[in-house]
Amino acid sequence: LQKIGVFTSGGDAPGMNAAVRAVTRAALANKLKVVGIRRGYQGMIEGDFIPLKSNDVSGILQLGGTMLKTARSAEFRTPEGREKAYKQLKKAEIDAVVVIGGDGSFTGALVMSQEYDFPFIGIPGTIDNDIYGTDYTIGYDTALNTVVQAVDKIKDTARSHGRIFFVEVMGREAGLLALNSGIACGAEVILIPEAKGDHDQLNKFLEKGYKSKETSGIIMVAEGDEAGGAIQIAERVRKEHPDLDVRVSILGHIQRGGSPTAKDRVNATKMGVAAVDALLDDQKSIMIGLDNEKIVHVPFNKAVKLNHSIDTNLMDIQKLLNT
Ligand code: F6P
């Protein structure tokens, strides 16, 4: 092993830069050469490579986004795209790569490593925290805090006007961000795809509030909720309860930006160093995960196929505190 590549892929997440820095410096410390692959798999296909020295990753630890840029590449999903990518890696004499991204990025790595026997090590980076085998993905903690800050502000105006706010939170098909931010903000109801029957709780809250004239509240809605997004759910509630003052707030991409929290920086740094250790140890097709603060290795095929479980205890607590 002489030269490694590192890249970020899929949706950016705060803390990805900290991981790039850790991978680069840990590799250099082990006398490896490092190449940054820009724009994810698309940049790999196009040979958009830059050499990385220690100085190149100075001053990025605290920055959101990703200095290597990112992309969701449709071309890489084709065998022709992966062939081009493989040829570019060979041409640049890259022996192994570290991919920082979510399950789509690991699926790509798994497929390519099966086709070409090329070593990939994954670092989980997504605000959704939806990857099996790791307690945390890079960016989740920052996004969680961003959501909490935003909802605290919404609460001020919700209480002042006696309004019900449906706040839509990202997370794709996963409700972890909505559940944990809802708990942290004292949301009256949390609607997540993993919980069936949580709409009964919404109906009860609306009935109770309507009768007692206590009509302010925060309803957290995971964007992947089966009943639709916040707009659709609010529309239904407006029809059923025309006297309630209902508003919708979709937090959107604000959740993906900002300076990473200390926790995301520390986790990204630990995982970056562990990824280089794994490569030096001749590992491949594994994701670096964190299990109770300890580094673990999770095979890609498990990380992408299984779901990150939801904390049902938290769901019970939320209901208990809002009966
Ligand atoms: O996976 C991260 C994420 O922010 C999801 O929460 C969201 O569904 C998706 O990416 C949005 O993707 P895009 O920025 O491509 O619209």
Side-chain angles (χ1 to χ4, degrees):
L1 185 71
Q2 289 183 343
K3 196 194 269 188
I4 68 162
V6 57
F7 67 104
T8 51
S9 167
D12 60 299
M16 281 183 161
N17 281 325
V20 170
R21 171 181 175 272
V23 169
T24 303
R25 293 210 171 148
L28 293 172
N30 282 285
K31 309 271 178 278
L32 300 173
K33 289 190 179 128
V34 187
V35 170
I37 300 167
R38 299 173 78 244
R39 296 181 292 118
Y41 287 113
Q42 197 54 39
M44 191 186 279
I45 290 168
E46 293 168 22
D48 190 357
F49 302 157
I50 48 166
L52 290 178
K53 294 274 182 293
S54 189
N55 267 349
D56 299 316
V57 292
S58 274
I60 63 166
L61 177 70
Q62 73 279 23
L63 302 180
T66 161
M67 57 101 62
L68 290 176
K69 302 196 183 292
T70 188
R72 301 192 196 276
S73 171
E75 197 180 351
F76 190 78
R77 290 195 202 109
T78 66
E80 295 76 26
R82 291 192 293 276
E83 189 185 353
K84 281 189 206 163
Y86 177 70
K87 283 185 177 156
Q88 294 284 10
L89 292 174
K90 282 282 139 195
K91 196 168 135 202
E93 297 178 330
I94 295 171
D95 304 315
V97 289
V98 176
V99 48
I100 306 164
D103 59 352
S105 311
F106 298 158
T107 303
L110 183 61
V111 173
M112 183 163 160
S113 60
Q114 283 163 350
E115 287 170 342
Y116 295 100
D117 191 24
F118 195 87
F120 277 86
I121 300 288
I123 296 179
T126 162
I127 64 160
D128 302 338
N129 203 22
D130 58 347
I131 306 203
Y132 173 84
T134 185
D135 294 340
Y136 286 104
T137 57
I138 296 168
Y140 170 69
D141 187 62
T142 307
L144 187 58
N145 282 287
T146 301
V147 174
V148 169
Q149 283 171 18
V151 176
D152 282 352
K153 291 184 174 122
I154 292 173
K155 269 182 104 162
D156 291 345
T157 176
R159 288 175 76 89
S160 305
H161 282 266
R163 284 175 172 162
I164 293 177
F165 267 84
F166 287 83
V167 181
E168 186 175 301
V169 173
M170 276 187 172
R172 216 176 274 275
E173 280 107 41
L176 277 99
L177 201 51
L179 175 61
N180 285 276
S181 58
I183 295 284
C185 296
E188 275 69 20
V189 181
I190 304 174
L191 304 176
I192 56 173
E194 293 87 345
K196 311 275 170 228
D198 48 5
H199 283 261
D200 296 344
Q201 206 203 342
L202 172 61
N203 293 335
K204 269 191 214 144
F205 165 73
L206 294 172
E207 286 300 330
K208 197 172 108 187
Y210 187 65
K211 282 188 194 128
S212 68
K213 304 271 180 249
E214 183 49 71
T215 52
S216 107
I218 299 289
I219 320 294
M220 300 298 287
V221 184
E223 65 176 353
D225 191 68
E226 54 182 355
I231 293 178
Q232 286 98 315
I233 300 172
E235 215 36 63
R236 172 175 73 76
V237 169
R238 275 198 189 104
K239 280 201 190 105
E240 288 168 10
H241 301 272
D243 293 345
L244 290 178
D245 201 359
V246 171
R247 291 290 187 275
V248 173
S249 187
I250 298 175
L251 297 184
H253 286 77
I254 193 171
Q255 296 163 93
R256 285 241 294 265
S259 178
T261 58
K263 182 169 181 163
D264 271 329
R265 297 180 199 190
V266 173
N267 285 344
T269 303
K270 275 162 84 168
M271 291 193 207
V273 172
V276 174
D277 284 347
L279 281 177
L280 290 168
D281 199 25
D282 283 336
Q283 306 259 4
K284 51 182 167 183
S285 293
I286 54 146
M287 176 195 82
I288 303 296
L290 276 173
D291 181 2
N292 279 320
E293 308 288 324
K294 293 265 175 305
I295 292 289
V296 289
H297 291 174
V298 186
F300 275 152
N301 53 6
K302 277 195 177 172
V304 299
K305 283 215 184 83
L306 302 171
N307 288 330
H308 185 136
S309 58
I310 201 101
D311 186 348
T312 51
N313 185 36
L314 264 190
M315 289 171 14
D316 294 343
I317 288 175
Q318 197 276 333
K319 289 199 178 91
L320 176 78
L321 300 186
N322 287 287
T323 42

